[in-house]
Amino acid sequence: KQEVTQIPAALSVPEGENLVLNCSFTDSAIYNLQWFRQDPGKGLTSLLLIQSSQREQTSGRLNASLDKSSGRSTLYIAASQPGDSATYLCAVGLSGSARQLTFGSGTQLTVLP
Amino acid sequence: EAQVTQNPRYLITVTGKKLTVTCSQNMNHEYMSWYRQDPGLGLRQIYYSMNVEVTDKGDVPEGYKVSRKEKRNFPLILESPSPNQTSLYFCASSSRQVGGATGANVLTFGAGSRLTVL
């Protein structure tokens, strides 16, 4: 059974820092991997989706990488801002599976002004 | 505006009192799903539906029922709620089966329904 782990569970950084969030998964037979952002009182918003054949995806200050062989993905946030404060979740989609995504428990990020 | 709407957003109820959380999407999506989110456990899938009248169990279906009589609606039913069903619930939809062989589309989530069972 696929397990997705995110470490650390919480992270606090000063504004302007570059930071990396980590995601690891146990079954490398994934079809894609997504990073989501969750704000309190709101649903999840998809940030980046990486297909299993891709190594990375970029959107603005965000860059997500995928290494299937090692079962790892990272989300790099450049020049962090207080507005980046949120919980970030990664989720993997399994190849050939009729099921939806398997989520990690998230990293709660606080960017201090 | 394309969206997934859940109601109620907040609910406090007592053990055994049947309740329904509604979910509606206006994007003509085939795929809909319910998740619960608990501290330290991430999102866990309760039930999903690949189309009208097609539903299947997720990882934690015990104590829940769903129906998909119309494409836009996917209600979650708790026939006899218990305190261990206190959680934050999310409904989501997509135009294809995310994570499968044919789909890479993005899930759209509702804003969540916080349920407390006393």
Side-chain angles (χ1 to χ4, degrees):
Chain A
K1 180 185 174 184
Q2 180 73 270
E3 292 184 4
V4 180
T5 303
Q6 292 185 248
I7 296 174
L11 179 64
S12 184
V13 300
E15 181 176 6
E17 273 204 6
N18 302 324
L19 60 99
V20 174
L21 305 181
N22 297 297
C23 173
S24 62
F25 46 93
T26 55
D27 186 345
S28 62
I30 68 169
Y31 197 76
N32 56 32
L33 184 144
Q34 289 191 56
W35 282 93
F36 291 86
R37 170 182 172 139
Q38 182 179 13
D39 294 284
K42 298 183 181 179
L44 281 69
T45 303
S46 182
L47 298 172
L48 290 164
L49 183 149
I50 310 176
Q51 301 284 9
S52 63
S53 58
Q54 297 174 318
R55 297 284 292 185
E56 65 180 317
Q57 281 284 352
T58 298
S59 176
R61 294 183 294 108
L62 305 180
N63 175 277
S65 69
L66 174 63
D67 184 343
K68 276 181 57 176
S69 60
S70 67
R72 292 181 182 176
S73 176
T74 61
L75 179 66
Y76 174 83
I77 302 177
S80 59
Q81 304 169 358
D84 294 329
S85 298
T87 297
Y88 292 82
L89 295 94
C90 70
V92 300
L94 299 180
S95 297
S97 172
R99 302 285 296 275
Q100 281 271 19
L101 305 172
T102 301
F103 286 82
S105 55
T107 294
Q108 185 175 356
L109 173 65
T110 302
V111 181
L112 304 169
Chain B
E1 180 188 354
Q3 59 185 0
V4 176
T5 304
Q6 298 178 224
N7 281 297
R9 295 287 314 279
Y10 303 91
L11 179 64
I12 300 175
T13 189
V14 295
T15 299
K17 186 176 181 181
K18 180 180 178 179
L19 67 92
T20 298
V21 186
T22 64
C23 174
S24 180
Q25 49 93 3
N26 62 1
M27 297 164 281
N28 201 37
H29 283 168
E30 293 88 3
Y31 201 96
M32 298 186 74
S33 183
W34 275 103
Y35 296 88
R36 62 177 288 173
Q37 185 178 33
D38 302 288
L41 295 178
L43 271 76
R44 294 179 292 169
Q45 189 177 51
I46 303 171
Y47 270 94
Y48 64 97
S49 169
M50 298 180 68
N51 214 325
V52 176
E53 302 291 1
V54 180
T55 64
D56 208 347
K57 297 177 180 179
D59 296 315
V60 287
E62 295 77 21
Y64 304 95
K65 287 175 59 177
V66 293
S67 68
R68 188 91 183 273
K69 296 189 172 105
E70 303 167 285
K71 197 171 188 179
R72 64 182 295 136
N73 296 324
F74 191 43
L76 180 69
I77 303 159
L78 285 72
E79 293 272 3
S80 182
S82 61
N84 63 14
Q85 293 179 297
T86 293
S87 188
L88 179 59
Y89 291 87
F90 287 102
C91 180
S93 72
S94 72
S95 60
R96 286 188 190 152
Q97 172 190 322
V98 179
T102 59
N105 290 358
V106 171
L107 277 171
T108 301
F109 280 83
S113 296
R114 185 166 292 281
L115 170 65
T116 301
V117 183
L118 302 176

